[in-house]
């Protein structure tokens, strides 16, 4: 169209006029594109100037004080993933010039502003004078062990307390030991609830002790019989036990490695190898103990065991024991996940 227009006499442009028009056109286009390119930058600058205080406030709100060290007059504690803080009495250094009461008040103000949730204090016997001060400041008792008590305070006012109760279940084990003569190892406790009754040797699981290890240890302590693991047999769950706790009692089948027993005089009044048939009919054997033996004999008849495998949690980086049913002769590869 441009070429046709230039040929037409009426629309003929002289060369100087055409060159002037072309120069003006290029200039106009350059200015237009430059202005458009500047608009996003100018707009961004305007937004940054307008919203900079808001952005800073949002960053502070998101970050809270997690990346900041607490002031010197505040208990440091250890933060957990639930926005809680645990203060260990033996890890905190108290300045002799300041009182525990003053430091606690400043710490509570700091934790409240920091939007922390549960505050835990682990108080040892040497800090017993902290307890009444903590109680005055809204802390309550959570649990206690020999030499230490743990108190807590829930800070959020708009959120109901969401804390786990302390350990509420006791763990016990019984060792079901049967020798090659089909005799079961039985004992009578010196302080038995049912006098002169026969039962399986056993006792409480120690802290951080595996169930199987506990059963082997208890049998050895009470009877002098060394054993090795065969199978988990049964589990009994009850409530209203010692200290108001629930009770889990796990029966573990064990193979004896020796037959000559040695009685623990402190805890055991009598012990013997009793024929299984006699045990199942004995009037001084509780029906639950009979059921344990029947269950174990049924497992053997069907070629079943409840075995245990040591494993490792890939996320928590912790060892654990995995219990599962296994058919004899079809042993699982321990390397399989």
């Amino acid at each position: 169209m441009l070429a046709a227009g230039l040929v037409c006499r009426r629309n003929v442009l002289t060369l100087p006029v055409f060159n002037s028009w072309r120069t003006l056109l290029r200039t106009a286009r350059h200015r237009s594109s430059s202005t458009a390119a500047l608009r996003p930058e100018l707009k961004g600058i305007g937004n940054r100037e307008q919203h900079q205080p808001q952005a800073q406030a949002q960053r502070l709100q998101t970050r809270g004080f997690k990346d900041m060290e607490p002031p010197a007059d505040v208990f440091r504690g250890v933060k957990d993933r639930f926005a809680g803080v645990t203060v260990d009495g033996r890890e905190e250094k108290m300045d002799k010039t300041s009182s525990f009461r003053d430091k606690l008040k400043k710490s509570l103000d700091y934790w409240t502003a920091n939007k922390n949730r549960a505050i835990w204090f682990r108080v040892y016997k040497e800090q017993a004078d902290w307890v009444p001060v903590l109680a005055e400041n809204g802390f309550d008792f959570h649990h206690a062990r020999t030499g230490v008590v743990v108190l807590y305070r829930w800070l959020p006012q708009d959120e109901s307390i969401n804390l786990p109760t302390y350990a509420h279940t006791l763990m016990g084990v019984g060792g079901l030991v049967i020798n090659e003569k089909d005799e079961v190892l039985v004992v009578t406790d010196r302080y038995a609830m049912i006098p002169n009754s026969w039962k399986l040797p056993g006792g409480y699981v120690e802290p951080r002790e595996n169930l199987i290890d506990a059963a082997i240890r208890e049998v050895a302590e009470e009877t002098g019989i060394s054993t090795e693991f065969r199978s988990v047999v049964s589990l009994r769950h009850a409530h209203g036990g010692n200290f108001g706790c629930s009770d889990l009692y796990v029966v573990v089948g064990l193979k004896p490695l020796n037959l000559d027993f040695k009685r623990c005089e402190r805890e055991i009044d009598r012990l013997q190898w009793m024929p299984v048939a006699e045990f199942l009919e004995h009037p001084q054997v509780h029906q639950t103990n009979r059921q344990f033996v029947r269950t174990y004999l049924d497992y053997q008849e069907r070629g079943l065991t409840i075995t245990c495998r040591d494993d490792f949690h890939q996320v928590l980086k912790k060892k654990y024991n995995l219990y599962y049913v296994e058919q004899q002769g079809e042993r699982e590869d321990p390397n399989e996940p």
Side-chain angles (χ1 to χ4, degrees), residues 297-316:
L297 295 177
D298 179 63
Y299 288 173
Q300 289 186 323
E301 184 178 347
R302 293 193 288 161
L304 300 176
T305 61
I306 300 178
T307 191
C308 176
R309 184 180 76 196
D310 295 335
D311 220 321
F312 186 79
H313 199 290
Q314 297 299 322
V315 177
L316 300 179

Side-chain angles (χ1 to χ4, degrees), residues 29-316:
R29 288 177 178 175
H30 176 71
R31 288 177 179 175
S32 176
S33 61
S34 300
T35 304
L38 286 173
R39 280 174 186 166
E41 183 178 354
L42 293 173
K43 183 178 180 180
I45 294 174
N47 283 347
R48 285 199 297 270
E49 291 177 351
Q50 181 178 359
H51 300 292
Q52 187 172 6
Q54 181 179 356
Q56 288 178 347
Q58 185 175 4
R59 284 196 300 271
L60 287 174
Q61 183 178 5
T62 303
R63 186 177 67 179
F65 295 94
K66 292 182 180 179
D67 299 331
M68 300 174 63
E69 289 292 329
D73 54 355
V74 168
F75 290 110
R76 295 178 63 85
V78 176
K79 299 175 185 176
D80 59 45
R81 60 192 176 102
F82 301 105
V85 177
T86 299
V87 178
D88 191 299
R90 288 181 176 170
E91 300 295 330
E92 299 290 338
K93 296 181 179 179
M94 285 295 299
D95 187 353
K96 295 181 179 179
T97 60
S98 62
S99 69
F100 174 77
R101 190 185 303 272
D102 293 338
K103 191 169 185 177
L104 177 62
K105 183 180 184 306
K106 293 177 181 178
S107 299
L108 287 171
D109 291 341
Y110 173 79
W111 292 324
T112 301
N114 195 32
K115 298 187 182 301
N116 289 111
R117 300 168 77 209
I119 308 299
W120 304 85
F121 266 81
R122 187 176 292 118
V123 183
Y124 298 88
K125 192 173 181 179
E126 56 266 30
Q127 295 114 20
D129 55 337
W130 291 9
V131 173
V133 181
L134 289 166
E136 292 173 6
N137 284 271
F139 283 79
D140 202 348
F141 297 97
H142 187 264
H143 65 272
R145 297 197 309 269
T146 302
V148 60
V149 61
V150 176
L151 295 90
Y152 75 96
R153 176 176 167 181
W154 183 259
L155 293 183
Q157 299 295 321
D158 57 348
E159 184 181 0
S160 60
I161 296 178
N162 185 26
L163 297 176
T165 59
Y166 190 54
H168 51 75
T169 301
L170 298 173
M171 291 291 298
V173 290
L176 176 50
V177 186
I178 298 179
N179 61 27
E180 293 181 353
K181 298 179 180 180
D182 284 335
E183 296 173 328
V184 58
L185 183 63
V186 293
V187 300
T188 295
D189 285 342
R190 181 174 292 278
Y191 305 103
M193 295 180 61
I194 305 176
N196 299 317
S197 61
W198 292 103
K199 60 181 284 292
L200 305 178
Y204 284 118
V205 179
E206 298 291 340
R208 299 184 179 276
E209 185 178 33
N210 296 332
L211 295 174
I212 295 172
D213 295 338
I216 293 174
R217 174 186 54 78
E218 283 289 341
V219 169
E221 289 178 354
E222 294 185 354
T223 69
I225 300 296
S226 299
T227 58
E228 63 182 16
F229 175 69
R230 278 179 167 170
S231 173
V232 174
V233 177
S234 186
L235 183 149
R236 185 195 67 202
H237 189 201
H239 305 288
N242 290 340
F243 314 112
C245 292
S246 299
D247 180 79
L248 275 175
Y249 178 70
V250 180
V251 179
V252 180
L254 301 171
K255 176 183 178 181
L257 301 179
N258 62 293
L259 300 177
D260 296 329
F261 44 70
K262 182 179 179 180
R263 178 172 61 91
C264 174
E265 297 182 0
R266 180 180 179 180
E267 298 182 17
I268 303 302
D269 189 39
R270 296 180 298 166
L271 78 157
Q272 71 174 71
W273 289 105
M274 181 180 292
V276 170
E278 179 183 348
F279 182 85
L280 293 177
E281 301 295 334
H282 203 293
Q284 291 178 308
V285 174
H286 193 274
Q287 60 180 359
T288 306
N289 284 304
R290 297 176 190 162
Q291 181 62 45
F292 294 149
V293 173
R294 290 193 186 100
T295 300
Y296 183 54
L297 295 177
D298 179 63
Y299 288 173
Q300 289 186 323
E301 184 178 347
R302 293 193 288 161
L304 300 176
T305 61
I306 300 178
T307 191
C308 176
R309 184 180 76 196
D310 295 335
D311 220 321
F312 186 79
H313 199 290
Q314 297 299 322
V315 177
L316 300 179

